[in-house]
């Protein structure tokens, strides 16, 4: 064979991009993991039962392909959000939905827009597709520049609500204002809505340009199963069905998702504990005089201070100090708008006690 030049074979779009870098997932044990906003409690026991039942005594069901449309999961998603089943779609994590939406609705002439900061996967997905990516900065105090959003001319506007990585949330009226004014599709990424008091799913029937996405990863303790969903007008669902993998959710994920969404009581109790811990953590930051965004999620974005000042250097210093104590948070070194702060996932009371103890040590310079 002649000398093979792989670089020249890569598609134009992919040759110009780098992949998404997810939060650290350590292999070793002993970490207090507060970096990727996972649920700090195990999933409902009903989920474990459903998976065991599906596997059965000898795993015979695993020989067979799963439902290609994840039919029962779609039904359960629709029921949970009070929509007809034609409005629901199942996916391999909500990242899969985001990817499919961009695959179906973006190209070199159809651009994607979002607020800055937002979930940092969106620009990576847009680049794969060769689509232009527009970032609309928040105004002061995380206010939205509605005029810029309205006039950005993107084909799809991605609205992370509540926002990541700040944790700040916007009420339904704000979502409705954007969706009703925007001349394109609006995707509301509700990965964290289980910890907020609102959801845009109630608008899905009213607006044919609205897609709302959700995930079992944050609010249902199932990040390891990769179960996400979307709700939108059936015409949008039909387009997503065209571009998804034929079997984009495995058998175990499908039954786990159904069981999780069915056990409202278990999750209501656990989420209450997370919200109570969130309040205590905000009070802790108040006591230190550190700035943070009021959170509507299971995480808090805060700006640590040393000698009364905060900066990227100080944030990085605390992040590294905590890491050396095996307490893992998320620091976004390359994101200008948030590199002077750190994102902290809310853990169990014991995990949060260890976090606070370590922070106090750092504050005292020990
Ligand atoms: N949206 C946002 C805002 C997120 O933070 C995440 C998790 N990183 C996701 C979507 C994707 O979640 P998953 O693929 O686990 O469903």
């Amino acid at each position: 064979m002649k000398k093979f030049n792989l670089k020249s074979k890569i598609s134009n779009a992919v040759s110009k991009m780098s992949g998404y870098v997810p939060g650290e997932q350590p292999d070793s044990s002993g970490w207090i993991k507060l970096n990727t906003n996972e649920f700090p409690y195990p999933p409902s026991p009903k989920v474990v039962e459903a998976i065991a039942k599906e596997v059965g005594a000898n795993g015979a069901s695993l020989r067979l392909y799963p439902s290609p449309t994840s039919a029962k999961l779609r039904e359960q998603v629709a029921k949970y959000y009070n929509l007809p089943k034609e409005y629901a779609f199942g996916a391999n994590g909500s990242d899969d939905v985001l990817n499919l939406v961009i695959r179906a609705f973006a190209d070199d002439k159809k651009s994607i827009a979002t607020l800055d900061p937002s979930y940092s996967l969106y620009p990576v997905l847009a680049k794969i597709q060769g689509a232009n990516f527009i970032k609309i900065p928040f105004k002061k105090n995380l206010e939205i520049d509605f005029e810029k959003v309205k006039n950005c001319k993107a084909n799809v506007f991605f609205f992370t609500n509540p926002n990541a990585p700040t944790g700040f949330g916007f009420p339904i009226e704000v979502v409705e204002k954007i969706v009703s004014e925007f001349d394109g599709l609006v995707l509301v990424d509700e990965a964290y809505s289980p910890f907020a008091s609102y959801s845009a799913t109630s608008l899905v029937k009213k607006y044919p340009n609205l897609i709302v996405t959700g995930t079992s990863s944050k609010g249902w303790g199932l990040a390891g199963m990769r179960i996400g969903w979307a709700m939108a007008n059936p015409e949008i669902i039909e387009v997503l069905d065209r571009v998804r993998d034929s079997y984009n959710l495995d058998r175990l994920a499908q039954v786990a998702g159904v069981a999780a969404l069915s056990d409202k009581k278990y999750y209501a109790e656990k989420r209450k504990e997370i919200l109570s811990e969130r309040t205590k953590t905000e009070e802790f930051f108040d006591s230190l005089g550190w700035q943070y965004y009021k959170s509507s999620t299971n995480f808090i974005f805060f700006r640590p201070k040393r000698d009364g000042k905060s900066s990227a250097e100080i944030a990085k210093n605390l992040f590294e100090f905590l890491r050396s104590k095996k307490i893992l948070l998320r620091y976004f070194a390359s994101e200008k708008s948030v590199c002077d702060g750190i994102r902290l996932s809310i853990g169990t009371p014991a995990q949060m006690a260890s976090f606070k103890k370590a922070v106090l040590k750092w504050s005292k310079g020990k």
Side-chain angles (χ1 to χ4, degrees), residues 93-95 98 119 122 160 164 189 191-192 215 217-218 226-227:
S94 60
D95 281 350
L98 306 176
Y119 183 25
Y122 310 146
T160 323
D189 179 342
Y192 298 102
T215 174
S217 300
K218 317 294 182 181
R226 316 301 304 124
I227 308 157

Side-chain angles (χ1 to χ4, degrees), residues 285-343:
F285 290 136
D286 284 337
S287 74
L288 294 171
W290 290 3
Q291 192 254 332
Y292 60 87
Y293 292 114
K294 184 82 199 129
S295 171
S296 296
T297 61
N298 64 336
F299 62 86
I300 300 176
F301 185 89
F302 68 97
R303 293 189 165 91
K305 277 189 186 163
R306 212 167 217 172
D307 303 326
K309 282 186 216 129
S310 52
S311 69
E313 217 173 59
I314 289 166
K316 187 161 179 260
N317 186 275
L318 174 59
F319 167 76
E320 282 170 358
F321 174 84
L322 292 170
R323 200 178 178 287
S324 75
K325 305 268 176 262
K326 292 197 112 178
I327 303 175
L328 205 51
L329 273 64
R330 189 87 188 264
Y331 177 62
F332 300 91
S334 56
E335 307 252 344
K336 261 195 197 154
S337 52
V338 287
C339 66
D340 57 345
I342 312 179
R343 198 189 68 188

Side-chain angles (χ1 to χ4, degrees), residues 77-126:
V77 167
K79 189 171 159 203
Y80 188 88
Y81 291 100
N82 233 337
L83 285 163
K85 67 176 191 301
E86 300 72 35
Y87 283 71
F89 179 82
N92 184 28
S94 60
D95 281 350
D96 187 27
V97 185
L98 306 176
N99 189 17
L100 295 173
V101 167
I102 290 188
R103 196 186 287 174
F105 297 106
D107 59 30
D108 56 354
K109 291 186 188 63
K110 293 186 164 70
S111 45
I112 302 292
T114 196
L115 297 165
D116 184 30
S118 280
Y119 183 25
S120 47
L121 177 70
Y122 310 146
V124 177
L125 297 176

Side-chain angles (χ1 to χ4, degrees), residues 10 52 81 121 171 233 281:
I10 303 172
Y81 291 100
L121 177 70
N233 189 285
T281 311

Side-chain angles (χ1 to χ4, degrees), residues 65-251:
Y65 282 105
S67 157
T69 56
S70 311
K72 290 198 173 126
L73 178 68
R74 288 191 194 199
E75 270 171 39
Q76 194 63 40
V77 167
K79 189 171 159 203
Y80 188 88
Y81 291 100
N82 233 337
L83 285 163
K85 67 176 191 301
E86 300 72 35
Y87 283 71
F89 179 82
N92 184 28
S94 60
D95 281 350
D96 187 27
V97 185
L98 306 176
N99 189 17
L100 295 173
V101 167
I102 290 188
R103 196 186 287 174
F105 297 106
D107 59 30
D108 56 354
K109 291 186 188 63
K110 293 186 164 70
S111 45
I112 302 292
T114 196
L115 297 165
D116 184 30
S118 280
Y119 183 25
S120 47
L121 177 70
Y122 310 146
V124 177
L125 297 176
K127 278 182 197 152
I128 298 174
Q129 199 69 9
N132 183 32
F133 192 79
I134 302 159
K135 284 184 178 178
I136 302 168
F138 279 103
K139 296 201 278 192
K140 257 195 182 160
N141 301 324
L142 294 182
E143 275 172 41
I144 297 174
D145 194 332
F146 291 105
E147 277 308 297
K148 279 208 176 127
V149 172
K150 193 169 127 186
N151 298 321
C152 74
K153 298 202 169 73
N155 207 46
V156 193
F157 178 71
F158 278 61
F159 184 27
T160 323
N161 194 39
N163 180 262
T166 65
F168 192 76
F170 298 88
I172 188 103
E173 295 75 26
V174 169
V175 180
E176 185 154 21
K177 180 172 166 58
I178 292 175
V179 178
S180 61
E181 289 180 356
F182 192 67
D183 184 23
L185 287 159
V186 176
L187 182 144
V188 183
D189 179 342
E190 290 198 347
Y192 298 102
S193 75
F195 306 100
S197 53
Y198 45 76
S199 163
T201 45
S202 58
L203 301 175
V204 164
K205 269 176 137 178
K206 189 170 168 193
Y207 292 99
N209 61 332
L210 172 63
I211 305 171
V212 180
T213 62
T215 174
S216 69
S217 300
K218 317 294 182 181
W220 282 269
L222 288 170
M225 293 296 298
R226 316 301 304 124
I227 308 157
W229 49 81
M231 280 143 295
N233 189 285
E235 286 181 18
I236 295 178
I237 303 290
E238 187 275 320
V239 179
L240 296 180
D241 270 327
R242 280 189 226 169
V243 295
R244 68 171 165 79
D245 285 352
S246 345
Y247 304 100
N248 65 335
L249 271 168
D250 68 54
R251 274 181 177 274

